[in-house]
Amino acid sequence: MKKVILSMAALAMIFATSCSNDSKETMNTDQQAKVDMSDFYLYTDADIDEQSRVASGQKSCHSMVNLNRLLNENPGLEQTMYDIEYNLRAAIAAKKPDGAGNGNGNGGGNNGGGTDPDPGFTDPVSIPVVVNIIEQYSNQVTTQQINSQIAVLNEDFNNNNSNTSGVPSEFSGAVADCGISFTLHTVNRVVSTQSSWGTNDAMKHSSQGGIDVTDPSTYLNIWVCEIGGGILGYAQFPGGPSSTDGVVIGTDFFGENAAGGVYGHGRTATHEVGHWLNLRHIWGDGQCKQDDFVQDTPPSNGPNYGCPSYPTVNCQTADMTMNYMDYVYDDCMYMFTNGQNTRMRALFESGGARASLAGN
């Protein structure tokens, strides 16, 4: 009799487990139906593209090159970044009344990550900044530079760039006030005679003559040093190693600095912090069908330089050359879009990759 009872109990457990698994599978299927990841990509041809640009004398951002390197060095990073993107799109979908719009943007999907109106990420976010300076002589990077850089970040992420008044009417409805503020917390300095640091994160380690990261779950770390190779800066996307999390800016291109010329007005940091907050380049680091996962940024087939006239047409649409995630001169970039704002702000939601910086 006892054997019969035990057998029946075992069958009941198997049935219950089966039902539970069916329920989980149904739930996952429902979630998958709401979050279209078909367009998501990580690896790009940036290694070749950026090398070619530098070789031709053009300035460059090496964030995508850095991403390729980190993906090669960290086997689990690809899955981690996929999960971050999935959760970001799910958070955006949850804010929308019908749950629609959470796949890709320019490349043929229906990403609500770029739709207007913003789905409701409106709480103000204040990010404390640690500036790590590796300089060739004491006070090479002045206090004025540091303060001006924080001021520029606050202008740009709160739609206070005076040049925004020149936005073409085609894009005027897409201009975003991101409501993200930056406060200077600490300045760390070390003097080094090293002439250039490259993009392999050596400046982020005291063991290599640089400065170790300060708790990246609480602070945005910015390293300022001579990068070399015509590189303005680079950033680490959410999900990368905590020991190297942050942004690197070339000394001449940090803050208001005459030595930086047309790139000497602090917008390199705005661009790189955009990457740090999960924004891709405006052209998606590919051709017309390569996506930046934002719907209200038109597709393009490559970066723009200088101060392009409007309209500059690629991929049968006018490029948003004035976007902070293009490569134009500092004075000629002056907007984030509502869709880019949505992507950035979703990171600060509970469970988001940058949530700890907003106290979530």
Side-chain angles (χ1 to χ4, degrees):
M1 182 67 178
K2 188 180 290 185
K3 289 181 179 179
V4 172
I5 293 173
L6 288 171
S7 297
M8 293 178 66
L11 286 169
M13 288 180 65
I14 291 170
F15 180 77
T17 302
S18 175
C19 289
S20 175
N21 288 338
D22 288 346
S23 175
K24 288 179 181 178
E25 288 175 4
T26 301
M27 179 182 68
N28 290 336
T29 300
D30 290 344
Q31 289 177 339
Q32 293 283 352
K34 292 180 180 178
V35 180
D36 176 10
M37 295 289 289
S38 63
D39 68 312
F40 185 63
Y41 66 94
L42 288 169
Y43 283 99
T44 65
D45 292 331
D47 303 69
I48 299 170
D49 295 342
E50 298 302 341
Q51 185 177 11
S52 174
R53 288 167 190 142
V54 169
S56 65
Q58 296 173 315
K59 298 299 184 184
S60 174
C61 157
H62 265 225
S63 292
M64 297 306 292
V65 176
N66 185 58
L67 176 58
N68 285 349
R69 176 180 64 83
L70 290 176
L71 289 166
N72 289 332
E73 293 175 357
N74 300 272
L77 180 57
E78 190 167 2
Q79 183 62 52
T80 297
M81 292 187 69
Y82 180 96
D83 292 342
I84 288 171
E85 183 70 20
Y86 182 95
N87 291 333
L88 181 149
R89 295 184 186 194
I92 293 171
K95 290 282 187 178
K96 294 176 180 293
D98 59 358
N102 29 39
N104 58 7
N106 307 340
N110 56 359
N111 177 26
T115 56
D116 185 18
D118 185 288
F121 304 118
T122 56
D123 292 339
V125 174
S126 181
I127 299 176
V129 180
V130 173
V131 179
N132 302 303
I133 301 171
I134 302 98
E135 52 196 353
Q136 295 179 319
Y137 54 88
S138 182
N139 293 313
Q140 177 187 9
V141 178
T142 67
T143 298
Q144 185 276 334
Q145 269 183 268
I146 298 168
N147 291 338
S148 69
Q149 184 61 80
I150 298 299
V152 168
L153 287 172
N154 281 315
E155 286 177 9
D156 296 348
F157 283 85
N158 290 276
N159 193 27
N160 287 322
N161 185 331
S162 60
N163 290 331
T164 308
S165 60
V167 68
S169 58
E170 176 183 1
F171 303 132
S172 61
V175 177
D177 177 350
C178 302
I180 301 173
S181 302
F182 301 85
T183 58
L184 180 63
H185 182 268
T186 307
V187 177
N188 300 315
R189 295 177 183 266
V190 65
V191 174
S192 171
T193 57
Q194 186 161 326
S195 59
S196 63
W197 288 83
T199 59
N200 288 329
D201 290 336
M203 75 290 292
K204 301 177 182 179
H205 302 285
S206 60
S207 62
Q208 299 182 53
I211 299 174
D212 293 331
V213 69
T214 299
D215 186 7
S217 68
T218 306
Y219 304 102
L220 161 61
N221 281 256
I222 300 178
W223 285 268
V224 183
C225 63
E226 301 289 346
I227 301 174
I231 299 167
L232 298 171
Y234 70 97
Q236 182 170 296
F237 288 92
S242 60
S243 62
T244 54
D245 190 27
V247 167
V248 182
I249 308 294
T251 304
D252 288 348
F253 315 115
F254 180 74
E256 289 284 351
N257 185 8
V262 292
Y263 295 105
H265 302 295
R267 261 76 210 197
T268 294
T270 301
H271 178 103
E272 300 304 344
V273 171
H275 285 312
W276 182 76
L277 292 174
N278 215 25
L279 296 185
R280 300 295 182 93
H281 287 134
I282 201 79
W283 67 98
D285 290 275
Q287 298 302 310
C288 293
K289 291 185 178 179
Q290 191 90 339
D291 192 31
D292 67 347
F293 312 137
V294 178
Q295 190 174 11
D296 60 0
T297 58
S300 186
N301 64 354
N304 291 284
Y305 284 89
C307 285
S309 60
Y310 173 83
T312 296
V313 177
N314 287 290
C315 307
Q316 300 181 328
T317 56
D319 282 6
M320 191 180 281
T321 62
M322 65 293 305
N323 195 284
Y324 291 120
M325 302 313 294
D326 208 331
Y327 277 7
V328 297
Y329 294 163
D330 279 18
D331 281 344
C332 298
M333 54 171 62
Y334 44 78
M335 69 174 287
F336 288 117
T337 70
N338 292 311
Q340 289 174 319
N341 179 38
T342 297
R343 277 187 66 81
M344 291 189 286
R345 294 301 300 267
L347 293 172
F348 300 112
E349 292 293 291
S350 180
R354 301 289 188 200
S356 61
L357 284 141
N360 289 324

